[in-house]
Amino acid sequence: MSQALPEEWFVTDSRANAWVTWILTAILVVAAVGYSFAGLLVGAAFAAVAAGVAVVPPLVSRSWTHALPWPLLFVAALPLVLGPLQTGLLGELFLGVGVAALGMLVVNALQLTTTLRMTPGFAAVFVVIATLAVAGFWAVGSAFDAAYLGGTFLETNDALMGVFTDALLAGLAAGLVFWWYFRWQLRRATGPTPEVDSA
Amino acid sequence: MTIRERLHLTDRRTALLVRFLQVVMVAILLAGLWLGDLGVVVNAAVGLLVTLLPAVLERRYAFTMGVGLVLWITVAMFLHALGTLPLPGLGFLSPYKSVWWWDHMTHALSSSLVAGVAYATVRALDVHSDAVSFPPRFTFVYLLLFVMAFGVVWELVEFYIGVLSQLLGIPGVLTQYGLDDTILDLSYNTLGGLVVAIFGTVYLSGVSDELAERWAPRTQ
């Protein structure tokens, strides 16, 4: 997948979508403030990043309706709800998918604001890497938290391997979905009116 | 390579050192066979194969790696293979079991290799393709993510090989020592990744330039 998509990978120009996305963004901002007052810094950072990537597309294009598709932002915000609930296997899988989705949105936002450019194929691989890495850093961070700051962490190695397995499965699933999504977009972009891309 | 200059390692001496370490690894492999220790045999064999990779790349694809890089790969594989061998000086325990920092050293070393591979490919992509551009700060973060992700996958591989060998009733080839050890592994992986993320630009740009040249004709 080396053909170039337009620089902006996720955007929906509709009023209805923009309303929902902005409401979600407002909730995320409130969540970020709430989490930070509660001393839950990881949750606060996650919510702040999610809110940040949501406001980048409308800010860059200077149009409030130029917003992320709300289902994508919703999926990326899921870990904020699922994390504290500890809902077992299915919850963990969705948590992983949410982390992967947020990773993709961060890439999207960086492409709009910095010189970072990726091919869609590389980005799909990147979200798998990011999801696994987040699981790893989470494990190291919460282990140190449990050892020195009185936090809680898993009891056994088997439990940790379970978390890692879920992260791997969720990351792969999200990566595949993004891959298909980009291919579908590419086909749509090049299908009916064949554009000549000089890149 | 300034480190090698300081150590008075000429290319010839470095190549000799690589050859020597490979011979020792063959000896470790034979010792494993003699002891009937499957773990030693498999780890030494896989390590040897990896050290032969640069030569294969050279012959098949005329892709030359610097001797220093080859030495780096070989040392990592050698220390890993040696770590699984029960040694008389250690009361016939393997260094992995009796030397507390052995595991951490090999993890940091091999994760630095992994980060090196990640760095070389990403830089090559960056140089080779117009559709890809990585600002240095992103490359740094990407390397850390990559090394951590690889570490997680590695722990999973260790874990599932253990599960599988338990199911089949054969002794494990790779060993996990428990939760604390997994966490320490991952921490030292991160350390190795950090080192490469910081020094990568200096030592690895030659490799990625060659990769980029190799891929260049594909764009036309």
Side-chain angles (χ1 to χ4, degrees), chain A residues 60-110:
Chain A
V60 169
S61 66
R62 290 169 197 287
S63 149
W64 74 273
T65 56
H66 194 79
L68 294 175
W70 72 264
L72 187 56
L73 185 62
F74 180 77
V75 170
L78 273 182
L80 285 172
V81 185
L82 293 173
L85 284 183
Q86 309 217 324
T87 43
L89 173 71
L90 203 63
E92 244 166 42
L93 284 177
F94 272 106
L95 207 153
V97 169
V99 170
L102 187 68
M104 185 57 92
L105 288 180
V106 168
V107 169
N108 181 59
L110 287 178

Side-chain angles (χ1 to χ4, degrees), chain B residues 80-103:
Chain B
H80 173 64
L82 185 65
T84 59
L85 185 71
L87 293 174
L90 300 167
F92 289 98
L93 280 173
S94 67
Y96 267 122
K97 283 194 186 124
S98 57
V99 185
W100 68 269
W101 45 263
W102 196 274
D103 193 28

Side-chain angles (χ1 to χ4, degrees), chain A residues 25 28 36 42 53 72 150 156 180 193-195:
Chain A
T25 311
L28 283 170
S36 62
V42 177
V53 297
L72 187 56
T156 64
W180 282 324
T193 48
E195 277 174 56

Side-chain angles (χ1 to χ4, degrees), chain A residues 99-100 103-104 125-137, chain B residues 145-146 149:
Chain A
V99 170
M104 185 57 92
V125 176
F126 176 76
V127 295
V128 183
I129 293 172
T131 311
L132 282 170
V134 166
F137 282 117
Chain B
L145 291 178
F146 191 94

Side-chain angles (χ1 to χ4, degrees), chain B residues 18-209:
Chain B
V18 167
R19 202 58 75 211
F20 172 72
L21 290 175
Q22 284 174 329
V23 169
V24 178
M25 281 172 80
V26 172
I28 293 174
L29 178 69
L30 292 176
L33 282 174
W34 186 61
L35 291 168
D37 190 326
L38 186 66
V40 175
V41 173
V42 171
N43 284 302
V46 171
L48 255 177
L49 284 180
V50 173
T51 65
L52 293 177
L53 213 60
V56 172
L57 286 175
E58 166 95 65
R59 206 157 302 157
R60 292 284 288 275
Y61 305 102
F63 179 84
T64 313
M65 286 187 206
V67 232
L69 194 59
V70 179
L71 181 65
W72 182 13
I73 296 170
T74 311
V75 166
M77 292 301 126
F78 165 74
L79 289 175
H80 173 64
L82 185 65
T84 59
L85 185 71
L87 293 174
L90 300 167
F92 289 98
L93 280 173
S94 67
Y96 267 122
K97 283 194 186 124
S98 57
V99 185
W100 68 269
W101 45 263
W102 196 274
D103 193 28
H104 308 323
M105 174 185 67
T106 51
H107 264 273
L109 202 56
S110 26
S111 66
S112 72
L113 265 184
V114 169
V117 171
Y119 176 80
T121 38
V122 156
R123 218 190 86 101
L125 266 177
D126 191 3
V127 174
H128 152 77
S129 162
D130 287 339
V132 178
S133 152
F134 294 105
R137 242 177 296 173
F138 181 82
T139 310
F140 187 86
V141 174
Y142 171 76
L143 284 181
L144 279 185
L145 291 178
F146 191 94
V147 170
M148 184 48 105
F150 192 89
V152 168
V153 170
W154 182 253
E155 293 299 328
L156 281 176
V157 168
E158 282 187 337
F159 177 69
Y160 283 110
I161 284 182
V163 169
L164 199 71
S165 58
Q166 233 173 16
L167 282 177
L168 298 174
I170 51 173
V173 175
L174 296 162
T175 324
Q176 277 191 316
Y177 296 98
L179 186 59
D180 293 346
D181 195 66
T182 303
I183 296 298
L184 275 179
D185 280 353
L186 290 176
S187 315
Y188 281 94
N189 284 346
T190 314
L191 207 68
L194 254 180
V195 170
V196 172
I198 293 166
F199 295 105
T201 21
V202 187
Y203 292 110
L204 290 167
S205 45
V207 180
S208 44
D209 285 343

Side-chain angles (χ1 to χ4, degrees), chain A residues 1-5 9 104 118-129 175-176 178-180 182-183 186, chain B residues 125 131-132:
Chain A
M1 217 185 304
S2 58
Q3 301 100 313
L5 277 175
W9 292 344
M104 185 57 92
M118 278 188 194
T119 56
F122 187 92
V125 176
F126 176 76
V127 295
V128 183
I129 293 172
L176 270 179
F178 278 121
W179 187 285
W180 282 324
F182 287 134
R183 273 187 40 180
L186 264 176
Chain B
L125 266 177
V132 178

